[in-house]
Amino acid sequence: MKDATQTLAASGPSALADFSDEQLLLRYRDAGDQDAFRELLHRYERELYSYLRRYLRDASLAEEVFQSTFLRVHEKVRLYEEGRGVRPWLYSIATHQAIDMLRKMGRRSAVSLNAEHGDMAAGGSTLLELLQDEGRSPIAQLELAERSAWARKAVDELPDHLREVVLLIYFQGLKFREAAEVLSIPLGTVKSRMHLALVRLNEAWNRSHRSASEE
């Protein structure tokens, strides 16, 4: 990857390495400490860039959105409230920047369906595991790549308000409460949308099962 931070700042000093994310952000918010900003940027550079590259499926777009994400952090830092989780705050900004980019380009992102998410009642599972029935489904016998392709297509066909919840929770790895914060909707709404999304996906899965059985 090219250095996505070149136009923003150089690497921050190691003296700040032991500071928490919140301490760094508060130093920048309250004192305009550029070193603290550089350290926070450096700390999240690989993580956020990797996320954006998967989300956008385009390295150059990922770099552009990474840049715009931290420019937005700079612009919105006065709105950051002490005690708020920095990581979900950064991810919410990155996600909105990515969504804006996709909307401008008339594109939609792909979701990684094999990432494990631990916020489900089952105690941690992938979306594919929630959808497939290992004992009966013929789809469960297919190669992982084939199952993933089917599931990605099924997610892409969800209504946008359901699809974005799946993207945030299973692609971005947010918890339900964090997804609610990003989308500015009640926690209960996030849970009901996720439930409905899984119902829709299971219905699609069952239709595929019936079609395969009838062949």
Side-chain angles (χ1 to χ4, degrees), residues 49-69:
Y49 173 81
S50 295
Y51 160 65
L52 289 168
R53 185 168 182 173
R54 289 193 303 268
Y55 192 95
L56 296 163
R57 303 179 71 188
D58 185 297
S60 61
L61 286 182
E63 290 184 13
E64 183 177 344
V65 174
F66 178 84
Q67 297 280 349
S68 66
T69 294

Side-chain angles (χ1 to χ4, degrees), residues 20-33 36 40 77-78 80-83 86:
S20 69
D21 293 346
E22 183 176 4
Q23 288 173 323
L24 292 172
L25 195 56
L26 289 175
R27 281 174 70 100
Y28 185 62
R29 186 196 71 180
D30 297 337
D33 188 336
L40 189 66
V77 69
R78 293 293 177 187
Y80 173 76
E81 298 178 356
E82 187 171 353
V86 173

Side-chain angles (χ1 to χ4, degrees), residues 16 23 28 36 48 56 59-60 65 77 92 97 131 135-137 144 156 160 165 177 180-181 187 189-190 199:
L16 294 170
Q23 288 173 323
Y28 185 62
L48 276 179
L56 296 163
S60 61
V65 174
V77 69
S92 67
Q97 292 295 303
L131 295 177
R136 295 174 296 161
S137 174
L144 179 61
D156 281 342
D160 286 343
V165 171
R177 60 176 175 77
E181 180 181 342
L187 175 60
T189 302
V190 171
V199 168

